[in-house]
Amino acid sequence: MENEKKIAERIKQTTLLEDIIFYVIIIPLILISITIIWQRLTEPDKIPDILGYKMFVVLDGDMDQAIEYGDLIFTHNIAPENLEKSNLIAFRNNTNKVTMHRIIKITEDDIGRQFEMQNSVNEVGDTKYVKENQVEGLIIHRIPNIGIILYKIQKPYIILILIGIVLLIGIVAYYIAGRLDKRDMKKATENSY
């Protein structure tokens, strides 16, 4: 009888853990994925964001000293009037490529604000002028070297391999859990005689 209570308690704990994983991790990931896919379909020229936050992978070493090749960068949407000198921002350059540099000067005219950018690798300004509509966001966080891993795993064949590995682990874990439950039930029934 006592073993049955232990087994029931363990099953209850396992179910609770599965629920927590499902509601805290799986559902938010699904919602984020749906949001990003929807944004890509409805506005293909814009970079998808989640509540104003965007992620970028640095694939060029010619950025600011605070940013390195392979970094994962997080930005937050910000009104151009709130940008200040020395802010590190992500912006679209003239070739529509996202670049990250530091603001060294802000000018304003009848068209709007312009930001003169400096690449810290060069000691002088790049004479890159960015208009306020080219700003993608203020850089708020950097995770070193993770970006290159994310960039590599976005290839379709790698995604399929990763999905296969996750499914295989899930099947093996399910099989092992079933075998353990059968063993525990068998022990419980043997002990009750």
Side-chain angles (χ1 to χ4, degrees), residues 148-163:
I148 200 66
I149 295 168
L150 294 175
Y151 179 71
K152 298 275 187 200
I153 66 171
Q154 72 180 348
K155 296 181 180 2
Y157 68 91
I158 293 181
I159 291 173
L160 288 174
I161 291 170
L162 290 175
I163 289 171

Side-chain angles (χ1 to χ4, degrees), residues 91-94 105 107 114-117 126-131 134:
F91 61 93
R92 289 195 180 267
N93 63 19
N94 295 335
K105 185 178 179 183
T107 57
Q114 282 199 79
F115 307 97
E116 185 177 342
M117 309 307 294
D126 287 351
T127 63
K128 289 184 180 179
Y129 290 92
V130 175
K131 296 179 179 135
Q134 294 173 286

Side-chain angles (χ1 to χ4, degrees), residues 88-191:
L88 194 55
I89 64 169
F91 61 93
R92 289 195 180 267
N93 63 19
N94 295 335
T95 62
N96 210 25
K97 178 182 166 190
V98 176
T99 307
M100 297 160 207
H101 290 316
R102 195 169 299 280
I103 298 173
I104 60 169
K105 185 178 179 183
I106 301 173
T107 57
E108 201 161 341
D109 57 20
D110 51 340
I111 299 173
R113 290 183 124 201
Q114 282 199 79
F115 307 97
E116 185 177 342
M117 309 307 294
Q118 177 179 347
N119 171 349
S120 290
V121 176
N122 303 327
E123 291 300 320
V124 295
D126 287 351
T127 63
K128 289 184 180 179
Y129 290 92
V130 175
K131 296 179 179 135
E132 54 188 26
N133 65 343
Q134 294 173 286
V135 175
E136 288 291 339
L138 177 69
I139 295 174
I140 57 169
H141 192 66
R142 160 188 171 258
I143 302 176
N145 304 317
I146 287 293
I148 200 66
I149 295 168
L150 294 175
Y151 179 71
K152 298 275 187 200
I153 66 171
Q154 72 180 348
K155 296 181 180 2
Y157 68 91
I158 293 181
I159 291 173
L160 288 174
I161 291 170
L162 290 175
I163 289 171
I165 290 170
V166 169
L167 285 174
L168 184 63
I169 291 170
I171 291 168
V172 169
Y174 182 77
Y175 176 76
I176 291 171
R179 299 281 289 178
L180 290 174
D181 286 344
K182 283 181 184 177
R183 183 195 68 189
D184 291 344
M185 291 296 246
K186 185 178 178 182
K187 282 183 181 179
T189 54
E190 287 174 359
N191 289 338

